[in-house]
Amino acid sequence: MGNIYQTIGEYHKGIDYFEKSLEIAKSIGYKKGEQILLSNLGDVYESIAEYGKAIDYQEQSLKISKELGSKNGEAVSITNLGSIYRSLGEYQKAISNYESSLVIFKQIGNKPNEIASIGNIGNIYYFLKEYQKAIFYHDQALAKSKEIGIKQYEADTLSSIGDDYKSSGDYHKAIDYYEQSLAIFTQIESKNSKADPLIGLGESYEALKEYPKAIEYYQSSLEISRQIGGRESEGLALSDLGSTFTKLNQPELAILYYKQSINTRETIRQGISGLSKQQQKSYLDTIANTYRTLIDLLLKQGRVTEALQVLDLLKIQELEDYLKNVRANEKTVQKIELLAPEKAISNQLLAISYDKSSELNHQLATKLQQLPKSEINKVPDYFQKLPKGVTLLYPSIQEDRLELIIFSANTIPINRTVKISKKNLEALIDDYRDGLLDPSSEDYKAPTIALYNLLIKPIEAELIQAQTEEILYAPDGILRYVPITALYDGKKYLIEKYRISNLIAYSLSDFSPKPKIQPKILAGAFGGKAGEKRFGLDSLPFTIQEVQDIANSFHNSVTLTEENFSRQAIESQFNNYNILHLATHVAFNNGVPENSFIIFGNGDKIKLNEIAKWQIPNIDLIVLSACDSAKGALGNGVEILGFGYQVQKAGAKSAIASLWEVNDNGTQKLMEAFYSEIQKGDIPISEALRRAQISLIQSPQYQHPNYWSAFFAIGNGL
């Protein structure tokens, strides 16, 4: 039962059955069963990106295998640990594990697993883009596959070598290996596997600009994928066809294929199965590019509403790839609607050849141009629920420009194009953050004006016309590290003009107004003495005063400090309070969810991927007042997006966090002002934060944006 639930993607049910079975195995002293079940639990926890637990279970399984003298079980557990380290991006550890398991499999003569270990090492080098090393190991796996005569292994390895050569740019060699792989799959009648080399052949011919052949192979892959119900490979084939027709300057057909690809992807999330480990390598590298290219094509054709929907779904896709726990809802299941002319030819997608495509694209373009603009940019019902005075701002970073999509109630979405390359935008953001992170520096001034001119000035007239009071900001990529509150027009900061809340994704949000209730605050402080370290981190002495001030202002509050501020103490009192204030170190780090965490005063931690397990439907607001994000190189900010989603999934309505660790005393002053506003009652959270930030702007000691602009509201701040 556990295996079945894991296979169909109901991971938590799988865990439940594995744990029950494990309990029985332990009670009857069935050590072999215990070892297998621990390994199964490790696998399922890896599937939901809880890598710490996955490692723990695999190590327990490994220990029992050694006790039992089961060399095969030992090697399998070591292999599974290698897989987890691969998922964590710790590739050298992964290679070390695979090499260790390889030695054991050789010793015991387990040829199939020996081949798999060699192939796994090759795959790691593929991920590292060290293609010659990948080829070296895959060649070994191929030779051994031929020795033992397992045709499926041989064909799979040939396809992997094709991937290596394709990614290294040697398309002719790649084609040779893909054709060998395809011939074997045809011989052994393995339809399930034929789609991969067909895709590889199509991508190789597309790279060689031999578009007729590329289309032919993609169509063959698409046909097989639909026959066998392979939705992952179906989505990839549709995306590749979209790419090819884009290069052929047939954007209408390209858009149709890309829409179908994304809708297939959304079906995967709604359905019962995720990506297999074998498919992750090729599929996840491609999917984000599918969304971005479709957004680009739609905006160039003035189809802004559709572009906004795709951009919103891209955020959900990023979350799913990062957290592995995002599920569809009634908004996302609507998918990207096909317009009437697109629906009319959607059943012909398998039959569109290179020769017919140009004429068909012309016909489709003509029919689309005849549609009224109101139909092309029809706004979904859930967008219509946006409150008056609230404007959505969705930037989209393209390679050669920045697109700004905005939407207000009773309008249709519009876009504004800003000419700046992705590279130059990233450089400007780096300069902006460098200036903001140094409270003694004035270097932030030029970048903050430049960013205002990029992000706000092009839409200023529309914001005024919509009588905007609050901006719901859904940043894209590296923009998630930018506090737009501190953008400056030469006279005022943006926060002095508007309330601002960060948005996860509109289709994951509920923006119905919430009833105002009397604040009941549960507050914890990390504390410590100035200049000392606690659990390897700097002490935060002002956090003690911070939570004491809250307790003095609100009778319905409790404070926990230092050793008394434990994870268990906080979690045991969730139901009694509606505001959770954590004055402690919070790390938002690039990479996997396990890298980001909240630490408690006694040294306990909760990792980002665990927050969703909190049951906090009574919590209206979580405040994290000492966050520290983006140490080292900036990523795409998905860890910040992920925090907002996890909090929302747990049941909280909104949160306040910071983009860097602010001066301890400055944070205390901001929080004092924030709670002073909350105490007045009947005020939106975003407005209370805005007023607190303005109070620091007007103070001589804390007017530098370093002290106040790091803090942002995320979620329903209405």
Side-chain angles (χ1 to χ4, degrees):
M1 291 292 291
N3 282 325
I4 291 167
Y5 278 119
Q6 181 180 3
T7 301
I8 65 174
E10 295 193 33
Y11 299 115
H12 291 289
K13 283 187 179 179
I15 289 168
D16 184 44
Y17 277 96
F18 286 144
E19 286 177 341
K20 288 175 181 175
S21 189
L22 178 61
E23 188 178 335
I24 296 168
K26 286 180 176 178
S27 72
I28 62 173
Y30 178 31
K31 279 291 189 181
K32 179 63 178 174
E34 187 179 340
Q35 179 260 317
I36 293 168
L37 287 158
L38 287 166
S39 183
N40 288 346
L41 281 162
D43 280 343
V44 74
Y45 275 113
E46 183 189 353
S47 297
I48 57 175
E50 292 197 28
Y51 300 115
K53 286 186 177 179
I55 289 170
D56 182 52
Y57 279 114
Q58 294 295 355
E59 287 179 341
Q60 289 183 59
S61 177
L62 176 60
K63 183 181 177 183
I64 294 175
S65 292
K66 288 179 176 178
E67 290 172 2
L68 295 172
S70 170
K71 284 292 185 181
N72 193 68
E74 181 182 341
V76 168
S77 292
I78 293 170
T79 299
N80 291 340
L81 283 164
S83 173
I84 297 166
Y85 287 125
R86 183 191 71 182
S87 298
L88 284 165
E90 296 185 35
Y91 294 127
Q92 292 309 316
K93 278 189 177 180
I95 288 171
S96 177
N97 275 73
Y98 290 142
E99 287 175 341
S100 297
S101 67
L102 175 60
V103 170
I104 298 172
F105 286 133
K106 281 183 177 179
Q107 287 174 352
I108 63 177
N110 186 331
K111 287 287 186 181
N113 281 5
E114 178 187 341
I115 294 166
S117 292
I118 296 169
N120 282 332
I121 296 170
N123 291 341
I124 295 294
Y125 283 116
Y126 178 93
F127 295 140
L128 289 168
K129 299 183 179 178
E130 296 185 35
Y131 300 119
Q132 290 309 310
K133 284 186 177 179
I135 290 166
F136 173 77
Y137 281 98
H138 286 144
D139 276 343
Q140 288 185 52
L142 177 61
K144 290 183 180 294
S145 297
K146 288 179 178 178
E147 279 178 24
I148 63 174
I150 300 180
K151 288 293 186 180
Q152 179 78 35
Y153 276 29
E154 183 180 344
D156 283 335
T157 308
L158 285 163
S159 186
S160 291
I161 297 172
D163 289 341
D164 298 336
Y165 279 115
K166 182 189 70 178
S167 296
S168 64
D170 193 339
Y171 302 113
H172 292 290
K173 271 195 176 178
I175 287 167
D176 179 45
Y177 279 97
Y178 286 134
E179 286 177 340
Q180 292 180 59
S181 173
L182 186 61
I184 295 173
F185 284 136
T186 302
Q187 177 191 340
I188 63 176
E189 298 181 348
S190 177
K191 272 193 175 182
N192 287 352
S193 305
K194 284 178 73 174
D196 290 340
L198 286 167
I199 285 287
L201 283 162
E203 289 176 348
S204 299
Y205 280 115
E206 182 184 346
L208 292 168
K209 299 183 179 180
E210 295 188 37
Y211 299 124
K213 284 187 177 179
I215 291 169
E216 180 184 343
Y217 282 115
Y218 290 148
Q219 293 284 28
S220 296
S221 177
L222 179 59
E223 183 177 10
I224 288 172
S225 298
R226 287 185 169 175
Q227 285 174 2
I228 64 174
R231 288 178 293 179
E232 298 89 0
S233 51
E234 177 186 350
L236 188 54
L238 288 163
S239 174
D240 282 334
L241 283 160
S243 171
T244 303
F245 286 116
T246 300
K247 290 172 182 173
L248 287 169
N249 196 27
Q250 296 174 20
E252 287 78 13
L253 275 180
I255 286 170
L256 177 54
Y257 277 108
Y258 276 130
K259 276 188 176 184
Q260 295 280 45
S261 175
I262 288 175
N263 285 343
T264 300
R265 178 62 179 169
E266 292 304 310
T267 302
I268 294 169
R269 183 166 28 255
Q270 296 155 28
I272 58 175
S273 65
L275 297 177
S276 68
K277 290 175 186 175
Q278 290 74 22
Q279 290 158 329
Q280 285 174 9
K281 180 180 70 173
S282 61
Y283 198 70
L284 295 184
D285 288 346
T286 305
I287 191 67
N289 188 54
T290 299
Y291 285 76
R292 291 197 181 278
T293 306
L294 178 54
I295 292 163
D296 183 28
L297 290 169
L298 288 167
L299 288 175
K300 285 177 177 175
Q301 297 215 338
R303 296 162 66 171
V304 185
T305 299
E306 293 169 287
L308 176 56
Q309 289 178 273
V310 177
L311 188 52
D312 202 65
L313 287 173
L314 172 60
K315 297 179 190 307
I316 302 169
Q317 178 61 44
E318 289 177 307
L319 283 170
E320 170 60 18
D321 290 346
Y322 180 63
L323 293 169
K324 307 292 191 294
N325 70 352
V326 181
R327 290 293 173 262
N329 60 27
E330 70 278 4
K331 297 172 187 173
T332 61
V333 296
Q334 295 177 26
K335 304 183 189 177
I336 306 300
E337 187 177 351
L338 301 186
L339 300 176
E342 292 173 327
K343 287 179 183 175
I345 67 163
S346 61
N347 61 351
Q348 300 178 42
L349 292 184
L350 279 171
I352 296 174
S353 66
Y354 174 80
D355 294 335
K356 298 177 183 176
S357 63
S358 180
E359 177 58 28
L360 189 58
N361 187 79
H362 176 72
Q363 293 173 11
L364 180 57
T366 301
K367 290 178 180 177
L368 287 168
Q369 288 165 7
Q370 292 169 353
L371 291 177
K373 286 187 177 180
S374 59
E375 184 173 342
I376 290 179
N377 277 311
K378 184 181 178 184
V379 178
D381 291 341
Y382 60 87
F383 275 154
Q384 297 286 15
K385 296 176 182 177
L386 196 67
K388 189 178 180 188
V390 176
T391 297
L392 290 180
L393 170 55
Y394 271 61
S396 174
I397 300 173
Q398 301 290 335
E399 287 297 326
D400 61 341
R401 67 194 193 281
L402 177 66
E403 291 284 356
L404 305 174
I405 301 176
I406 66 167
F407 173 68
S408 304
N410 302 316
T411 66
I412 60 171
I414 63 167
N415 73 297
R416 295 289 179 262
T417 303
V418 181
K419 290 292 182 183
I420 184 170
S421 69
K422 182 180 179 182
K423 183 179 178 181
N424 289 342
L425 177 63
E426 289 172 350
L428 179 58
I429 288 170
D430 283 339
D431 289 345
Y432 180 48
R433 279 181 57 91
D434 287 345
L436 291 180
L437 291 172
D438 183 358
S440 66
S441 170
E442 297 292 310
D443 291 346
Y444 72 90
K445 287 188 174 178
T448 193
I449 291 172
L451 279 168
Y452 184 95
N453 290 337
L454 289 174
L455 284 165
I456 303 301
K457 194 170 183 179
I459 59 170
E460 217 163 23
E462 286 76 16
L463 291 173
I464 294 168
Q465 185 177 352
Q467 299 180 323
T468 302
E469 296 173 4
E470 175 156 9
I471 295 172
L472 296 182
Y473 177 53
D476 183 28
I478 196 171
L479 285 170
R480 292 173 186 139
Y481 300 115
V482 173
I484 66 165
T485 50
L487 299 187
Y488 193 60
D489 68 359
K491 295 179 181 178
K492 286 184 177 182
Y493 291 105
L494 191 65
I495 196 62
E496 295 181 272
K497 300 179 181 182
Y498 305 105
R499 300 194 304 269
I500 298 168
S501 286
N502 274 37
L503 197 62
I504 305 162
Y506 195 89
S507 54
L508 291 177
S509 303
D510 174 14
F511 285 99
S512 54
K514 305 297 177 186
K516 304 301 174 188
I517 54 178
Q518 185 67 27
K520 296 179 182 179
I521 303 173
L522 174 60
F526 186 78
K529 294 180 181 178
E532 291 184 354
K533 293 276 187 182
R534 302 187 70 231
F535 312 109
L537 298 167
D538 291 335
S539 292
L540 300 172
F542 279 93
T543 58
I544 303 291
Q545 185 63 48
E546 184 181 318
V547 298
Q548 285 174 350
D549 288 343
I550 292 171
N552 293 337
S553 300
F554 296 89
H555 297 300
N556 296 321
S557 65
V558 67
T559 60
L560 302 168
T561 61
E562 298 182 328
E563 290 300 320
N564 293 324
F565 172 38
S566 68
R567 179 172 172 179
Q568 191 276 333
I570 285 289
E571 292 178 346
S572 67
Q573 300 193 59
F574 280 155
N575 291 335
N576 302 324
Y577 299 91
N578 52 36
I579 295 178
L580 178 62
H581 184 102
L582 304 178
T584 184
H585 287 286
V586 182
F588 290 147
N589 292 322
N590 192 9
V592 296
E594 293 252 319
N595 293 347
S596 299
F597 60 86
I598 301 169
I599 190 167
F600 296 85
N602 69 338
D604 291 346
K605 287 183 180 179
I606 183 168
K607 295 175 182 176
L608 179 60
N609 54 329
E610 298 176 305
I611 292 175
K613 293 181 180 177
W614 277 354
Q615 297 300 312
I616 49 175
N618 298 328
I619 299 289
D620 290 313
L621 172 66
I622 295 179
V623 178
L624 305 179
S625 67
C627 304
D628 193 6
S629 73
K631 286 185 175 179
L634 298 183
N636 68 352
V638 72
E639 66 276 11
I640 298 167
L641 192 71
F643 162 70
Y645 177 75
Q646 293 290 78
V647 165
Q648 177 180 295
K649 188 174 183 184
K653 314 303 183 293
S654 56
I656 290 175
S658 61
L659 291 168
W660 56 81
E661 189 175 342
V662 179
N663 169 284
D664 205 3
N665 198 17
T667 299
Q668 181 196 342
K669 295 298 181 186
L670 183 84
M671 290 300 155
E672 182 182 313
F674 172 73
Y675 282 107
S676 175
E677 294 298 331
I678 290 289
Q679 202 169 28
K680 294 175 183 178
D682 200 27
I683 178 173
I685 288 163
S686 56
E687 178 61 19
L689 179 59
R690 173 178 176 267
R691 293 180 189 178
Q693 289 173 315
I694 290 173
S695 74
L696 264 66
I697 292 170
Q698 294 171 347
S699 71
Q701 190 175 356
Y702 301 110
Q703 61 185 224
H704 192 286
N706 173 273
Y707 297 110
W708 54 266
S709 70
F711 293 93
F712 65 98
I714 187 166
N716 188 349
L718 300 177

